[in-house]
Amino acid sequence: MKPPPFRHLAPRSIEEACDMLAEHADSVRVLAGGQSLMALLVMRMARPAVLVDLNRCAGLDDIAVEGGVLRLGAMARQIAVQRAPAVAQAAPLLAEALHWAGPRAVRNRGTIGGSIAHADPSSEACCVALCLDARVVLARRGGSREMAARDFFRDALVTAAEPEEMVTEIRIPVLPPGTRCAFEEVGVRQADLAMAGIAVALTPAPDGGIAALRVAAIGAGGLPLRLDAVEGALRGRRAEPGLVRDAVRAALAECEPPSDLVASAAHRRAVLEGLAERAILRAAGAERAAA
Ligand SMILES: Cc1cc2nc3c(=O)[nH]c(=O)nc-3n(C[C@H](O)[C@H](O)[C@H](O)COP(=O)(O)OP(=O)(O)OC[C@H]3O[C@@H](n4cnc5c(N)ncnc54)[C@H](O)[C@@H]3O)c2cc1C
């Protein structure tokens, strides 16, 4: 299949890209790695008149830690993010999760900004962005704004970005010292989209309890969700297997996992319970109790 006709524009700078987006805002899409967009085009699920191709745009692929924040340029390829020493130091959860994000050939081309902007409900990057309180930087002609990932993701494949805006950077606060992370996922095959997934960042207290806990899930709803109820139930407590299991079950009982051809809602919930328990106990350095 071939995509519908479109005009291809290749800006060399963020300013030029923003001008192009503003000029064609009634029918425009940004082209990043093309790993999702090209499929949408050939299936005629998107028919933009203009593609603004960021692949030759300068200043969009830096990966660095500055002032306690990991800054990921939107055009940084997923494989580069996965392998970057700055990511290993500041947000190892992201590197662990990206290992699951499709085949390596896709990660060679796909970008971190594309994953965030695409907002696929199964996206590992979106789940980690939520878990680690990432912020998304959006540029438009004449200015930019920044918002929490929690506010950026609106629904499956829907974000707060306006047509004339582009994602330029993802900002992730460096994890507090001693924080341990775990990412667990189940798909039909390893490189397939996740059926269910859990991201955890746990900061232990000096007494061995949990000082801070962040948990996000793929498959608990129509888009990645923070499991606030688990976080609240376990904060200040010790990660005892029974307590963790009860907190996870209670929180997931309130969620509405989707039912589709891959899994029923009940099966997703059961898988999520096991993944969340395992991930929290792994991050806490505790063994999972025998079922
Ligand atoms: C075989 C296969 C398996 C895959 N498996 C997984 C998986 O397991 N997990 C997973 O998360 N993903 C998976 N993907 C999707 C892949 O990770 C994509 O790379 C990613 O979703 C989009 O990144 P991209 O850079 O290719 O963006 P593109 O495909 O170029 O763009 C995707 C969307 O985001 C918009 N966009 C891109 N960049 C920007 C920007 N800077 N500002 C504003 N809008 C922007 C585009 O306009 C488009 O709407 C898979 C893809 C394939 C082909």
Side-chain angles (χ1 to χ4, degrees):
M1 288 172 76
K2 290 181 181 163
F6 55 81
R7 206 169 143 211
H8 177 258
L9 302 178
R12 300 287 176 156
S13 67
I14 295 172
E15 293 70 26
E16 203 185 340
C18 288
D19 281 343
M20 291 168 176
L21 289 170
E23 203 171 316
H24 302 283
D26 54 337
S27 185
V28 71
R29 285 281 187 121
V30 166
L31 174 64
Q35 299 302 298
S36 296
L37 183 57
M38 294 316 293
L40 293 177
L41 294 178
V42 296
M43 289 188 286
R44 310 287 164 131
M45 292 168 71
R47 290 171 170 271
V50 174
L51 287 189
V52 174
D53 178 350
L54 299 184
N55 284 281
R56 283 170 226 162
C57 196
L60 276 175
D61 60 359
D62 289 348
I63 300 174
V65 176
E66 282 172 26
V69 176
L70 172 65
R71 302 172 65 150
L72 304 170
M75 287 299 289
R77 307 291 164 179
Q78 292 154 10
I79 201 92
V81 173
Q82 190 186 337
R83 292 176 175 172
V87 175
Q89 174 212 329
L93 181 64
L94 182 58
E96 186 182 349
L98 284 177
H99 169 74
W100 293 87
R104 187 184 301 185
V106 169
R107 280 176 274 143
N108 280 340
R109 191 74 197 154
T111 65
I112 191 70
S115 279
I116 298 295
H118 189 52
D120 189 294
S122 301
S123 161
E124 291 83 0
C126 295
C127 182
V128 170
L130 265 185
C131 183
L132 298 186
D133 298 311
R135 298 185 67 80
V136 181
V137 183
L138 293 159
R140 64 162 70 200
R141 182 189 265 168
S144 69
R145 61 183 176 136
E146 186 184 317
M147 64 170 65
R150 210 187 256 257
D151 300 324
F152 181 72
F153 301 124
R154 293 278 162 89
D155 206 341
L157 309 183
V158 180
T159 71
E162 301 289 341
E164 66 270 28
E165 287 181 314
M166 58 183 264
V167 175
T168 53
E169 197 171 89
I170 320 299
R171 295 183 178 164
I172 303 179
V174 174
L175 287 168
T179 299
R180 296 176 50 137
C181 300
F183 187 87
E184 298 278 349
E185 175 173 318
V186 168
V188 177
R189 294 168 302 181
Q190 197 239 332
D192 284 350
L193 288 172
M195 180 262 278
I198 293 283
V200 170
L202 184 153
T203 311
D207 68 358
I210 297 174
L213 178 66
R214 291 179 270 175
V215 185
I218 294 170
L223 72 173
L225 293 179
R226 271 292 276 270
L227 298 183
D228 298 310
V230 179
E231 299 176 9
L234 295 178
R235 199 175 300 119
R237 315 285 296 271
R238 281 182 178 271
E240 307 288 354
L243 185 65
V244 171
R245 186 176 307 135
D246 290 347
V248 162
R249 284 192 183 162
L252 287 169
E254 301 299 316
C255 295
E256 293 182 7
S259 249
D260 56 28
L261 289 175
V262 175
S264 66
H267 182 61
R268 269 205 173 82
R269 184 178 282 112
V271 172
L272 278 168
E273 284 176 2
L275 292 181
E277 195 186 329
R278 190 158 74 198
I280 293 168
L281 291 177
R282 178 154 70 89
E287 292 297 316
R288 187 184 180 201

